[in-house]
Amino acid sequence: MMNTKLKLLVLAVAGFCSAAVMAEESKEDKIARAKSAAPASVSDNATVIDTDGSVLVEGDNGWTCMPDTMPGDKAPMCNDATWMKMMGAVGKKEPFVADKIGISYMLQGEPSGSGVSNSTPYHPDHKNSDDYVETGPHLMIIVPKNLLEGMTDDPNVGGPYVMWGDTDYAHIMVPVSLDGKQVKTKKSE
């Protein structure tokens, strides 16, 4: 017969393991969150990949949806091939030149605290950067860099703005929220 201390230890470990299993998000939940980033006309037939790069759903329309932009941030996005190429370059810190338009949907926006530095994807502490920004529902558009000339990089002026403008990964942020969260910066707090 098991002594009382050992029995309590076994119950505690079992409880901890059960909580860890329950806390793990299901594949179906990740897929649903990933697909929520774009209109159904885009996401219904998109490939869905997990944060680790594993394929959760094989799609056939050239779009890729992810449940997280960064591991665990719960900021879903759906990208066309050009945007995925740029994301790969950002991840590897490789050069990227936009030679055509690329589109990314983030219609769920960025959850509170998951924003970034507006000037660089490599800021060591995004949340404490002077140009921290998190955006509600939005589109992101990559264009050849010369087409960004004259656009503001200030998310506080309203409307579209350029993010990461002095990098190879410059793109246009287009807030689209009608209600709820718009653009949040340190200046707007």
Side-chain angles (χ1 to χ4, degrees):
M1 182 165 217
M2 202 181 301
N3 72 34
T4 305
K5 285 184 181 179
L6 183 57
K7 190 183 285 187
L8 289 173
L9 179 61
V10 168
L11 288 173
V13 170
F16 176 76
C17 290
S18 296
V21 168
M22 287 174 56
E24 187 174 314
E25 191 173 19
S26 73
K27 176 181 175 180
E28 292 75 21
D29 287 344
K30 289 180 181 183
I31 291 168
R33 185 171 67 248
K35 288 187 172 200
S36 75
S41 60
V42 169
S43 63
D44 279 354
N45 295 312
T47 296
V48 177
I49 60 171
D50 206 345
T51 307
D52 65 4
S54 62
V55 176
L56 300 174
V57 173
E58 190 65 53
D60 62 8
N61 68 356
W63 287 86
T64 303
C65 298
M66 302 175 289
D68 305 296
T69 301
M70 304 298 280
D73 70 3
K74 298 197 182 318
M77 66 188 316
C78 289
N79 305 316
D80 70 6
T82 301
W83 197 270
M84 289 302 292
K85 184 177 174 183
M86 192 271 283
M87 293 277 295
V90 169
K92 295 176 184 173
K93 296 185 177 183
E94 294 178 346
F96 174 80
V97 176
D99 58 357
K100 58 184 168 184
I101 293 174
I103 305 288
S104 176
Y105 287 94
M106 289 188 74
L107 297 183
Q108 296 302 317
E110 297 163 328
S112 189
S114 67
V116 296
S117 161
N118 196 54
S119 60
T120 178
Y122 304 120
H123 195 284
D125 184 6
H126 289 282
K127 291 179 187 176
N128 290 310
S129 68
D130 289 338
D131 62 350
Y132 176 83
V133 61
E134 60 186 54
T135 306
H138 62 281
L139 300 174
M140 297 181 289
I141 304 171
I142 298 169
V143 297
K145 206 160 185 179
N146 66 311
L147 297 178
L148 299 174
E149 291 175 23
M151 282 196 75
T152 185
D153 64 355
D154 185 350
N156 295 291
V157 298
Y161 62 94
V162 176
M163 178 174 274
W164 302 340
D166 290 332
T167 74
D168 285 354
Y169 320 116
H171 59 278
I172 303 168
M173 298 286 288
V174 184
V176 296
S177 179
L178 297 176
D179 297 313
K181 184 176 178 179
Q182 301 289 322
V183 177
K184 179 181 172 185
T185 64
K186 288 190 176 195
K187 184 177 178 181
S188 68
E189 292 180 328

